[in-house]
Amino acid sequence: MLTTPMPSAAAPDTKIYDRRESQVRTYSRSMPRQFGKAQGPWLHDSEGGRYLDFLSGCSSLNYGHNHPVLKAALMDYIAADGVTHALDLHTDAKSAFLRTFEDVILEPRGLDYRVMFTGPTGTNAVEAAIKLARKVTGRELVVAFTNGFHGMTLGALACTGNAGKRGGAGVPLSHVSHEPFDGYYGEEVDTADLLEQRLADPSSGLDAPAAFLVETVQGEGGLNAARPDWLRRIAALAKKHGALLIVDDIQAGCGRAGGFFSFEGMGFTPDIVTLAKSLSGMGLPFALTLMRPDLDIWSPGEHNGTFRGNNHAFVTATASLREFWADPAFADAVARRGGILERRLERMAERHGLSTRGRGMMRGIDVGSGEVASKITSACFDEGLIIETSGAHDEIVKVLAPLTIEDAVLEAGLDILEEAVAEAIAPVVRPDQRKLGVAA
Amino acid sequence: MLTTPMPSAAAPDTKIYDRRESQVRTYSRSMPRQFGKAQGPWLHDSEGGRYLDFLSGCSSLNYGHNHPVLKAALMDYIAADGVTHALDLHTDAKSAFLRTFEDVILEPRGLDYRVMFTGPTGTNAVEAAIKLARKVTGRELVVAFTNGFHGMTLGALACTGNAGKRGGAGVPLSHVSHEPFDGYYGEEVDTADLLEQRLADPSSGLDAPAAFLVETVQGEGGLNAARPDWLRRIAALAKKHGALLIVDDIQAGCGRAGGFFSFEGMGFTPDIVTLAKSLSGMGLPFALTLMRPDLDIWSPGEHNGTFRGNNHAFVTATASLREFWADPAFADAVARRGGILERRLERMAERHGLSTRGRGMMRGIDVGSGEVASKITSACFDEGLIIETSGAHDEIVKVLAPLTIEDAVLEAGLDILEEAVAEAIAPVVRPDQRKLGVAA
Amino acid sequence: MLTTPMPSAAAPDTKIYDRRESQVRTYSRSMPRQFGKAQGPWLHDSEGGRYLDFLSGCSSLNYGHNHPVLKAALMDYIAADGVTHALDLHTDAKSAFLRTFEDVILEPRGLDYRVMFTGPTGTNAVEAAIKLARKVTGRELVVAFTNGFHGMTLGALACTGNAGKRGGAGVPLSHVSHEPFDGYYGEEVDTADLLEQRLADPSSGLDAPAAFLVETVQGEGGLNAARPDWLRRIAALAKKHGALLIVDDIQAGCGRAGGFFSFEGMGFTPDIVTLAKSLSGMGLPFALTLMRPDLDIWSPGEHNGTFRGNNHAFVTATASLREFWADPAFADAVARRGGILERRLERMAERHGLSTRGRGMMRGIDVGSGEVASKITSACFDEGLIIETSGAHDEIVKVLAPLTIEDAVLEAGLDILEEAVAEAIAPVVRPDQRKLGVAA
Amino acid sequence: MLTTPMPSAAAPDTKIYDRRESQVRTYSRSMPRQFGKAQGPWLHDSEGGRYLDFLSGCSSLNYGHNHPVLKAALMDYIAADGVTHALDLHTDAKSAFLRTFEDVILEPRGLDYRVMFTGPTGTNAVEAAIKLARKVTGRELVVAFTNGFHGMTLGALACTGNAGKRGGAGVPLSHVSHEPFDGYYGEEVDTADLLEQRLADPSSGLDAPAAFLVETVQGEGGLNAARPDWLRRIAALAKKHGALLIVDDIQAGCGRAGGFFSFEGMGFTPDIVTLAKSLSGMGLPFALTLMRPDLDIWSPGEHNGTFRGNNHAFVTATASLREFWADPAFADAVARRGGILERRLERMAERHGLSTRGRGMMRGIDVGSGEVASKITSACFDEGLIIETSGAHDEIVKVLAPLTIEDAVLEAGLDILEEAVAEAIAPVVRPDQRKLGVAA
């Protein structure tokens, strides 16, 4: 078993959370442990238990926890009194990041983007992206998609589909139209056709859009992976109608759904790209908005933010690019693990008449309802596996294992999942079954 | 002289910024150096120059750069593989922060707040605050104030007065009314009277407000310090009209404008408080929204965000609270330095027929125009002093020195400022004057 | 030929229009005559020409111009100094209207509605309807439909699909989602299915709607007639999701598309109905919003308007209800004429491989493009027939003849149309064809 | 006594209103009679009572009820089968109106406006005006004023100050800022100064305005009459800041507050003017938006409306312009009656320590509360005088007598008012007082 669930004598005082932490907290409710240390794919609680992390900070920890190379780079930087915070002043750390991003990421992919350091959260990068698109085009409407998730601040929230999140706004969410994502109406209906018709029709009620804002794989919306062909059509429609194509690669990027960018090799180039989550490589707050150089018409300071220069994140991001992306071996390994994940999930799905979702190392299984999914993730947690759900009804159990996970550990985690799925879907006790644990 | 302005042979390649960084950058334009190390009040550029920092990351570095106690705490934590990122799971670091915040900050001040870990940027804390106020009251309008500054995401930006920032939105900014701040129409007009009349008048066009959102000292808007009496009236008006009082203490809090909270001792208690900037103590991204426990009606996850648990920031914030706020000596020292700052600025103002603004260690001098102010800050930079402006016309030269600065260093920096002001205001060369530098 | 196109010596001075009338004028551009008298289906210009009116004030003159019964009732009323204007005070004329509306319209149809006298324009009735739906439900979103047309004031305009009209708003049009009307994506896709899925999906981005606002036949949007089955599904979806069903019967009502209400006999009852255009019977401004009695939760005066009691219109409306709707013979005659219209349009369509649209006496022919349609209506005008276009591209030539038109006159007008269509679609001169005019 | 209050045997059935008319009705609640005929200043109920009308359809009947000249013109027109409705086609009636408006109104005043025939309600004219201002300037914000009233449709309602009306919207009302009207903060504060400061301050939160929308005398908002000097300053501020000045002359125009336009002789010329209410002269629905010719950049049909050509109203409007405005004698007589009204109200005010409001024949007395005002209007109604209230708290009893009223009848009505005020304000019975009635 992965965890040691018995509370020790030194169990931490968790009353402080009831007393002082807002009710808005979520994950700590279904995973009521207090964690202290973390290394690679493992999280350790304060009572001696350890957990295999198939959540990875919702794809913020693609290289696992506290990767030694990143950790060393950061400690060296701090030890040397490297600048921690300098607003948007030039720093050695920023310079190194920009040069590395250019060398390792942009140039090999033939991409030419300017980098905007927004506030270090994904929602801030999205807000900057839609502001820029509105500024460039002089239009107001953003076309977002069903089940899209883009953040919690008012501009990004308007682009988010989830009713629970939207309801928190307290004001109507405007200037956005949610069009059907790829596959939304089933296989028979190509939703790009629907969008094309609405855009071409001057009486459709759809105003001329400033931008299309799309995830290639919808991380929170159910791991729906758009077909490359659909994405190319969307890109072409944006171009035809004078809208900018914004790919929100915050969850799917940094290797999670394929290459460094989730849209690599698909035959189109977004006008604007947002990145965050795993960008720092170590879970530090860091976000970027990339834009075609000719779109970079910002006035100085027109969009700013105190923490737009998180130098610690520059350091770890630079180290992560060099460590993982300078050599194709990493991407190859990720692809191989993605294959393992795909096969295992497909097997589970076939066994129970279910279906899978996703791409790369961003995959899940549709277990039919949030209730069943919750039963599964809860059973996994009891067995030492941290795993969460996704989708409109939380009906998708999603695997967001570290990209760096060893194959054997990945398989061991999937064993736990497979077991939990089997129990939840066909809860008849079969005597020949036994738990497949990983020694703590 | 504080700096060594001669470019060394090893001058860093800054073309990377032109090539890859968005035009939106600002501070690096007026301070075209690349910085590497920083300690206490000093920033060091890559060519051997050092600068005294009277900007402090716009009040994000109240305890100076890389304070040894905070730095040590952080390095110990990283070295031990402490959890870096865990979404909103319970961690030892979060628990320690909450307990310390309760012990050192809340209980001694008789305050009872719940803590919401929003995304780690100020704008996110503001967005959460106004969402909550709208949710609690079922109303939509937020009363903000002229010259207020609250952030760049769409909800917070609507509350911000600055036309340049607002213009970036690309959509109309709604659901907010900007009412005159204290003193806005001069001493003869009490703007609380004006607001009272509008609120009481059912035909004023001012809808019933969900919240008043106010800074006690307007950091970006010109260091306008509201009188405690005005703030009490505003608090009473909010209560009378069923609105929540939100104090945005992001820039003025953490000791900058008085106590830990800028409103301490003023005879009113906000319903909601936002904190960010210096909260982590070391310049790491970290923000909070505090709320009266009975207002904590969030549904789990109704407002979330990937980086809402920046554990590195928990560690340094905890260390900073223990180091600086557990003992009244720190606040006393800050008050003393605030007195020095006040006297020096008053002296400059008297000499040139100018006026001063602000409170505590958050003060400035109104030099009449942005042009003059820019001349002054530029001259200061040439002498090794980093200092910036504030106000609707950038006409206030603002001093945001570290709270921890030694008196002599503070005075030395103010000498440079005094000289620059004298030259800019009365640019006649007076032979008896000479530059007062600080040896590098 | 219907008209006498030669300008007489006494041709009116039309320069006054260039000098004083706004550029916003439209119909006078394609029909550059000045009209003086009008009777039944005929409009007479000031130069002695007469025109057969197949436009009928966009369905505002369903009983023709200056019907003698209505005219007499109005003249008697004026002669007797009947109240012309009395805001919303009770008047004999209003009382008579209400009683007649109850007796002749509501009771025979088993309908129980309260009558709200809004300002006397259709857009005002629509604004009142959506206000009420928002008030009753506490929700903000209105689901309108592609190609819908509901008015020019800001609330109604947001529900209107036409880009040219929307563009005039000068502000973003919010709180409305335009969903596909019946048949929008062709015969294979049932758009009620699409709407059902979006409403049921909590992550679709479609907020809970206050109302569905629908025309049964889209008068301006191309004479698209919704199938009764689709309307029933829409009605059921509204009910299921707590939204009110508003039928905008401003153009299709008053007998134009079937019974007095266009939805009669379709197996559902709207919660709210708007009426205007032909309601007064004589072209006088008059509009109503009908609502289920339990929805009538207005505060006194919450929605008002100076001209909400147009007593002249009450008089003519009462007379029109008694004259035309107290006996089923009128509806039967209208149905018969609708049949003539249908057959003639079908014949034209078949001949040229075109398609027809509409229902009842609200029908048109899709000639493929606005250019061709304009050629046709222009040719008709030259032959003395006033006829206009509809549709997203103005590609539908629409026939809105008076419901009271004699069959022979209807046929004569359709002869002109048939000729014009034939010439425009297949412009080869066929020697055996000759114009079928009506003696002036 | 003016009325005969005893219900006759033939009392009309008023249950129809309870059964069928919406709760939104207002005036019929405080004046529960049913009216039949009306002539000059008199309204006759169906039971034989007659009432002196000091409400005049809220200034829609400036020339009294059914003026014989207007009535004759209309009856002649109808008898001759004059066009009643023709959308926006040219008609003899429209041509005559335009020429008369040019000759009698525009040219003598040196005004050069284009005329836009909007839908025939005031709110429609306002919607067109603000649309145009937004279109011309490319800006979105309209500056309206406290206590302003501009209509019930969503665009106009956003400009209206009244909370009860605003609350009916059901959505937030956006894109408008309500600035203090002249005198709003008492005599010491010139609110033009306040507005000037906010407009000049780039951090005030007030976005660049498309238009200022102002009434010279606020009809619904309490008969607040702006000083000409204040209006000139507002006009100058609009010009300076690139905003258009829209005077909403719907209630104050057509002679009510001075000349034909309420702003005549004040030394400024609005860019856009809205007219409605008394424009037709006889209470028929009719509204106009006037604009400087260079602002007339509408596309054809960009703002339209079915009833934008109410030819009956053209006829009576033309007759009213010729009858009343072609000769200065009428304006002189109105000024004299305004003087009578002023003196009588001043006398009442002095006697009871009250204050008066208004200008011309648009005046009222502030009786301190809506409760007192209601008592007064109710007592007046019992004595046969129809009179209503205005103001944020309905605390102003307003006199909107016909402009054509005979002096003796005016005085007789004011006698009733004086008595009612005296009783309500000092309700001690004074034996020497007796009612001053007008024989029925």
Side-chain angles (χ1 to χ4, degrees), chain D residues 81-231:
Chain D
D81 280 335
V83 168
T84 299
H85 178 96
L87 298 164
D88 68 359
L89 287 173
H90 296 339
T91 64
D92 296 350
K94 184 196 279 189
S95 170
F97 170 75
L98 282 172
R99 279 184 282 113
T100 306
F101 193 74
E102 182 179 65
D103 289 349
V104 175
I105 302 299
L106 296 181
E107 292 195 345
R109 289 164 180 79
L111 293 169
D112 184 15
Y113 287 125
R114 288 269 178 82
V115 176
M116 176 176 176
F117 298 102
T118 65
T121 62
T123 196
N124 219 308
V126 170
E127 295 257 351
I130 60 181
K131 271 190 187 179
L132 183 64
R134 285 166 171 157
K135 184 179 171 75
V136 167
T137 62
R139 301 173 178 180
E140 285 159 329
L141 185 76
V142 170
V143 168
F145 292 90
T146 51
N147 293 293
F149 185 96
H150 303 285
M152 288 292 104
T153 52
L154 217 55
L157 184 55
C159 302
T160 294
N162 185 286
K165 310 295 185 198
R166 294 173 67 82
V171 291
L173 296 167
S174 301
H175 319 309
V176 176
S177 181
H178 293 264
E179 299 298 318
F181 192 72
D182 189 26
Y184 189 70
Y185 291 128
E187 291 189 0
E188 306 76 37
V189 179
D190 188 333
T191 60
D193 289 343
L194 306 189
L195 183 55
E196 182 168 27
Q197 179 172 337
R198 292 201 65 184
L199 286 165
D201 175 0
S203 275
S204 68
L206 193 66
D207 296 324
F212 293 1
L213 173 62
V214 69
E215 300 157 281
T216 64
V217 184
Q218 297 185 313
E220 298 301 304
L223 300 177
N224 312 301
R227 291 167 301 126
D229 181 57
W230 185 85
L231 288 164

Side-chain angles (χ1 to χ4, degrees), chain A residues 99-110:
Chain A
R99 279 184 282 113
T100 305
F101 192 74
E102 182 179 65
D103 289 349
V104 176
I105 302 300
L106 296 181
E107 292 195 345
R109 288 162 181 80

Side-chain angles (χ1 to χ4, degrees), chain A residues 147 166 184 197 201 203 207, chain C residues 147 166 184 197 201 203:
Chain A
N147 295 292
R166 293 173 67 82
Y184 188 71
Q197 180 172 337
D201 175 0
S203 275
D207 297 323
Chain C
N147 294 294
R166 294 173 67 83
Y184 188 71
Q197 179 171 338
D201 175 1
S203 276

Side-chain angles (χ1 to χ4, degrees), chain D residues 180-421:
Chain D
F181 192 72
D182 189 26
Y184 189 70
Y185 291 128
E187 291 189 0
E188 306 76 37
V189 179
D190 188 333
T191 60
D193 289 343
L194 306 189
L195 183 55
E196 182 168 27
Q197 179 172 337
R198 292 201 65 184
L199 286 165
D201 175 0
S203 275
S204 68
L206 193 66
D207 296 324
F212 293 1
L213 173 62
V214 69
E215 300 157 281
T216 64
V217 184
Q218 297 185 313
E220 298 301 304
L223 300 177
N224 312 301
R227 291 167 301 126
D229 181 57
W230 185 85
L231 288 164
R232 275 191 299 275
R233 293 234 5 234
I234 293 296
L237 284 173
K239 190 164 193 177
K240 180 175 177 186
H241 291 279
L244 300 182
L245 178 66
I246 306 171
V247 169
D248 181 343
D249 232 12
I250 290 173
Q251 185 157 162
C254 299
R256 176 58 62 187
F260 182 82
F261 295 111
S262 71
F263 52 81
E264 288 175 26
M266 288 189 179
F268 70 95
T269 305
D271 300 300
I272 299 175
V273 181
T274 56
L275 289 173
K277 291 198 183 272
S278 277
L279 184 62
S280 79
M282 199 170 143
L284 300 176
F286 188 21
L288 291 182
T289 301
L290 306 177
M291 67 204 77
R292 276 178 17 217
D294 60 300
L295 303 178
D296 184 21
I297 61 168
W298 289 109
S299 302
E302 196 170 4
H303 182 99
N304 59 17
T306 295
F307 296 118
R308 64 195 181 280
N310 182 359
N311 281 268
H312 286 192
F314 293 155
V315 169
T316 56
T318 302
S320 75
L321 296 180
R322 289 180 182 157
E323 177 71 14
F324 301 110
W325 295 100
D327 184 310
F330 176 69
D332 293 347
V334 172
R336 191 190 65 246
R337 281 176 206 123
I340 294 171
L341 176 57
E342 182 180 19
R343 283 189 298 279
R344 292 293 304 267
L345 291 176
E346 282 297 339
R347 194 171 78 184
M348 295 180 215
E350 274 172 33
R351 210 166 277 176
H352 304 286
L354 305 174
S355 62
T356 66
R357 302 284 173 82
R359 180 152 49 222
M361 281 290 277
M362 187 176 189
R363 293 180 191 267
I365 183 164
D366 182 343
V367 298
S369 78
E371 202 180 25
V372 173
S374 169
K375 215 165 146 185
I376 291 168
T377 57
S378 180
C380 287
F381 189 71
D382 289 343
E383 298 302 315
L385 179 68
I386 289 174
I387 189 165
E388 265 295 338
T389 61
S390 171
H393 304 278
D394 297 321
E395 76 281 19
I396 313 290
V397 178
K398 73 174 169 187
V399 180
L400 295 175
L403 307 184
T404 52
I405 195 168
E406 288 173 41
D407 293 2
V409 181
L410 176 62
E411 297 266 15
L414 291 169
D415 289 346
I416 296 174
L417 174 61
E418 189 163 22
E419 175 93 357
V421 168

Side-chain angles (χ1 to χ4, degrees), chain A residues 19-33:
Chain A
R19 210 159 63 230
R20 290 295 167 204
E21 190 175 11
S22 165
Q23 293 298 333
V24 82
R25 65 190 184 273
T26 45
Y27 290 115
S28 56
R29 296 170 187 271
S30 53
M31 297 182 263
R33 289 292 184 284

Side-chain angles (χ1 to χ4, degrees), chain B residues 346-368:
Chain B
E346 282 297 338
R347 193 171 79 184
M348 295 179 214
E350 273 171 34
R351 209 168 277 176
H352 304 287
L354 305 174
S355 63
T356 66
R357 303 282 174 83
R359 180 152 49 221
M361 281 289 277
M362 187 175 189
R363 294 180 191 267
I365 183 164
D366 182 343
V367 298

